[in-house]
Amino acid sequence: MRKEVMWYSGLGFLIKVGEFGSNSLYDQGLVIKEEMIEWPIGFKEHCVQCLDQEYPSGKRNRCLPRVLTFVALEDSLGMSLACTALCFCVLMAAVLWVFVKHRDTPIVKANNRALSHVLLISLLLCVLCSLLFINHPHTATCVLRQITFGAVFTVAVATVLAKTLAVIQAFKARK
């Protein structure tokens, strides 16, 4: 089985530039005569790695500059997100204060006082972590964003799971 490899030249003609041959199932070969190919003007034979501040174009034939976009605190969206985060922070702090003030009441004791405090503190820190995502990113804030939010959110989810398991055990013990 033989197939011809054709190339569309700039003149509008298909030119034979090679052959694909197969004598058996395992013996396949592609022979291309590069000198027969008429490359477009300015076409490079090798790939170039784009710099960190660049990205490849859709056709992957050149590098384009990256445009840095971020939510600025001065913008209306940035300001509203920051205000919302601070409002939720105040709300979480108020709920935590109520839990600490009434820590010896039966309701707080039944709600697993220690886990409730850990959950409220971790939720408070999660809300504060969202402030790291507002404004121009720097190396320190980029590293802190991922690590801090990941750690605090993991503690919050683990605390919710621990509280759920405590409730399940309480119902099992009742039976």
Side-chain angles (χ1 to χ4, degrees):
M1 177 180 144
R2 289 187 115 40
K3 289 192 174 185
E4 294 180 350
V5 178
M6 304 300 274
W7 179 262
Y8 182 75
S9 74
L11 301 173
F13 299 107
L14 286 176
I15 301 170
K16 179 180 173 185
V17 294
E19 291 182 336
F20 178 75
S22 167
N23 297 336
S24 68
L25 185 61
Y26 301 106
D27 181 32
Q28 297 179 354
L30 177 64
V31 179
I32 295 179
K33 300 174 190 168
E34 286 195 42
E35 64 274 2
M36 295 295 295
I37 299 175
E38 182 182 320
W39 295 104
I41 297 172
F43 189 81
K44 297 180 180 178
E45 298 288 338
H46 62 282
C47 295
V48 176
Q49 182 74 28
C50 291
L51 300 173
D52 286 341
Q53 62 269 20
E54 298 177 331
Y55 68 96
S57 65
K59 293 181 179 178
R60 297 190 176 274
N61 57 0
R62 61 188 176 122
C63 295
L64 302 172
R66 287 187 192 267
V67 178
L68 184 64
T69 57
F70 58 91
V71 177
L73 189 59
E74 294 80 27
D75 294 341
S76 59
L77 177 63
M79 188 59 74
S80 63
L81 290 173
C83 288
T84 303
L86 292 175
C87 288
F88 278 118
C89 183
V90 169
L91 179 67
M92 289 291 162
V95 172
L96 179 62
W97 178 79
V98 169
F99 265 72
V100 170
K101 184 179 178 194
H102 300 287
R103 66 182 169 271
D104 294 326
T105 62
I107 293 176
V108 174
K109 285 181 181 177
N111 200 13
N112 203 335
R113 173 178 39 200
L115 284 177
S116 295
H117 291 148
V118 171
L119 179 62
L120 287 169
I121 290 169
S122 63
L123 288 176
L124 176 72
L125 292 175
C126 275
V127 171
L128 287 175
C129 282
S130 66
L131 295 176
L132 289 173
F133 289 88
I134 299 174
N135 245 350
H136 192 279
H138 299 288
T139 305
T141 56
C142 284
V143 171
L144 279 174
R145 287 174 180 177
Q146 308 300 323
I147 295 171
T148 307
F149 183 75
V152 172
F153 189 73
T154 301
V155 170
V157 170
T159 307
V160 169
L161 291 174
K163 286 180 72 74
T164 304
L165 288 175
V167 170
I168 291 172
Q169 287 178 345
F171 278 111
K172 281 186 178 179
R174 207 162 185 212
K175 287 183 180 180

